[in-house]
Amino acid sequence: MSILFKCRQLKPLGEEICQNLWQHSTIMDVGAAEYIWQKGSNVKSVFILLEGSVYFSEIDEAGNETVYYPQYPTNLFGESEVFLECNKYNNYARTISKCKIAVLDKSRLIQQIEASPGYLRWWLTEMTGRVQLVKRLRMATTINSPEDRVVKTLITAYEHVGSGEEECSLPYTQDIFANLLGLSRRVVNKVLNNLASQGYIKLEYGKVIVNDSILQLR
């Protein structure tokens, strides 16, 4: 239950409801590079990533897959399909690494949400911000300069996650940065180390610490 209560998207429901949801959830293990869902599949469950990482993607008619959004532990994913009252997934979700996932029953979650009108209002605001963030991150990939792509992504993520704080931690590995922005790992490593040497960020294993001075690079 404590895992669900720590989840930003579920915590506003309160401890009692989170405990009820946890008691009726199941846990599944998924290997790396496996699809959790595919576009067009029926939405029956809502998933919470406990361990590992996942990509959201689109696949065109030629079979080319475009990755556009990485997901990390304690974040609810699958929620847009539920809260927009869609019956089918509109994208693909593929694991980056081996994952452990909590599976919640969609109908039970919706019942709890319908009984909490205040939460629904909060959720609509949250979803609006999330959609805008994804759009801004995807726009960053159209900027020609690799340096600008990385800087734009860091600024966008800081404004969404850590705005008002002196610094924020982003669970981005250099491989994820490279895949997200369509750059080589070597280029991303060079740009991040340059930013770190100037004091805009700090690099730690598996994450990037961004401080508010990054806003000077707008």
Side-chain angles (χ1 to χ4, degrees):
M1 183 279 295
S2 61
I3 294 174
L4 299 190
F5 192 61
K6 289 179 180 178
C7 180
R8 173 176 175 172
Q9 288 79 15
L10 293 182
K11 188 172 182 178
L13 285 172
E15 284 193 69
E16 184 176 347
I17 291 178
C18 285
Q19 183 175 10
N20 180 276
L21 292 172
W22 182 252
Q23 289 174 345
H24 292 88
S25 67
T26 58
I27 304 296
M28 69 176 186
D29 293 305
V30 184
E34 294 185 14
Y35 286 99
I36 302 170
W37 69 66
Q38 299 192 37
K39 185 175 181 179
S41 302
N42 290 327
V43 177
K44 297 180 180 179
S45 303
V46 175
F47 304 97
I48 297 178
L49 189 61
L50 306 178
E51 297 176 8
S53 49
V54 171
Y55 279 146
F56 284 162
S57 64
E58 290 284 355
I59 299 179
D60 61 24
E61 294 180 356
N64 300 312
E65 184 171 25
T66 302
V67 172
Y68 63 88
Y69 189 68
Q71 195 77 40
Y72 307 95
T74 71
N75 287 323
L76 188 66
F77 60 91
E79 68 276 17
S80 60
E81 286 78 16
V82 173
F83 289 93
L84 294 178
E85 298 183 354
C86 293
N87 293 318
K88 296 182 183 295
Y89 292 112
N90 57 17
N91 53 33
Y92 294 81
R94 176 170 53 86
T95 58
I96 303 172
S97 58
K98 184 177 180 180
C99 295
K100 186 180 294 293
I101 298 171
V103 184
L104 307 184
D105 179 74
K106 171 186 169 182
S107 60
R108 181 177 294 275
L109 177 59
I110 289 177
Q111 288 174 0
Q112 298 289 1
I113 291 168
E114 288 177 341
S116 307
Y119 174 80
L120 185 57
R121 289 193 294 271
W122 173 87
W123 176 254
L124 292 174
T125 302
E126 173 74 9
M127 279 304 301
T128 299
R130 178 174 294 214
V131 169
Q132 291 173 347
L133 171 63
V134 173
K135 288 182 177 178
R136 291 198 298 270
L137 287 177
R138 295 186 73 178
M139 286 178 63
T141 65
T142 65
I143 301 174
N144 292 328
S145 164
E147 291 80 5
D148 283 348
R149 292 190 195 185
V150 175
V151 170
K152 175 69 173 178
T153 300
L154 290 172
I155 290 174
T156 300
Y158 169 81
E159 289 177 332
H160 182 75
V161 177
S163 185
E165 304 292 333
E166 289 187 6
E167 63 180 30
C168 70
S169 175
L170 305 176
Y172 291 164
T173 66
Q174 294 188 25
D175 285 332
I176 287 176
F177 257 119
N179 284 317
L180 181 64
L181 299 178
L183 300 171
S184 70
R185 190 182 188 283
R186 180 183 61 80
V187 169
V188 168
N189 178 269
K190 180 180 179 180
V191 174
L192 290 179
N193 277 288
N194 184 42
L195 291 172
S197 68
Q198 297 178 65
Y200 295 112
I201 64 174
K202 291 183 288 186
L203 299 176
E204 297 184 5
Y205 181 77
K207 61 184 176 180
V208 178
I209 310 297
V210 184
N211 65 56
D212 56 7
S213 64
I214 196 74
L215 299 178
Q216 299 171 14
L217 301 179
R218 279 196 180 114

